[in-house]
Amino acid sequence: MVAHDPVFALNHMCAPDLSISALCELARDLGAAGIEIRNDIPGNAIADGTPPASVARAADEHGMRILSINALQRFNAWDGAREEEARALIAYARACGAEALVLVPTNDGTGRANGERQANLRIALKALRPMLAEAGIVGLVEPLGFETSSLRCKAEAVEAIEALQAGSTFRLVHDTFHHHLAGETQFFAAHTGLVHISGVTEGALETVRMRDGHRVLVDDGDRLGNIGQLRTLMDAGCTGCVSFEPFSESVHRMPDRQAALAQSMRFVAEGVRRYAA
């Protein structure tokens, strides 16, 4: 039985128009433990050149952990450009006090062949391991459930991490949206360092057609089974933060996002308490 409520966090995708300082303030006011910053929001940190010291200061002033930088994209298509990007993001993470770097696989239909994708994954993990370890940064591998993804299942990520005996450097992101899309039934609570949650509520939408733009806050119309997924993870001992990551512009345009986020947090926490695993 789960012995505690989820520990919540906010991914910057909850409010991409807010500055880092304003995001930290929002997270603090909601009682969240931390934030995730992103490198893919134009005109905002990190993309706008905000120094890492400024990010660290904002987090410290509001008592926020910086759980991750999200993300090193196409990490498993390892080459010189990817290495350069990885080194820069790891250096930024270290300088701003971020605990982890999210690692996202290619999602354009390439590198999906059996054998090829496993080999590419190991090449990338082996290259990243010493860089992350030296900086004291965790690599959070996030499988994407889309059919075009080169790493859909957490099981393959765990297999590679264990084969390299790299469990102290790499953990998983359990994303409830991608877990649903992949049709994966296995949970890897002991390997999970962070949980991303979002809901999909469009009733007629086929699972294979679900995209990031459909991801909203979790409520009683959720089709992804967020409550059950969280309860299963927590019952198995997962203690990672539960970070809200809604991509839908309908969330970004909400006149009172704080109230909406607070309502979703209450819904999730109460659901986890009630859920019969």
Side-chain angles (χ1 to χ4, degrees), residues 41-108:
I41 300 177
N44 213 324
I46 304 169
D48 67 352
T50 298
S54 298
V55 176
R57 189 180 313 114
D60 183 63
E61 287 174 353
H62 295 91
M64 285 292 111
R65 294 165 58 192
I66 302 176
L67 299 175
S68 81
I69 292 178
N70 192 334
L72 176 62
Q73 299 285 344
R74 301 180 60 85
F75 85 93
N76 57 344
W78 193 257
D79 57 16
R82 203 71 56 243
E83 179 178 352
E84 183 178 350
E85 184 183 2
R87 289 190 183 280
L89 284 172
I90 291 167
Y92 196 103
R94 185 175 189 177
C96 77
E99 299 172 15
L101 174 63
V102 176
L103 307 173
V104 174
T106 58
N107 183 37
D108 58 5

Side-chain angles (χ1 to χ4, degrees), residues 11 45 75 84 127 131 141 145 180 205 236 250 252:
N11 188 290
F75 85 93
E84 183 178 350
M131 289 188 271
V141 181
H180 179 82
L205 185 66
S250 67
H252 303 164

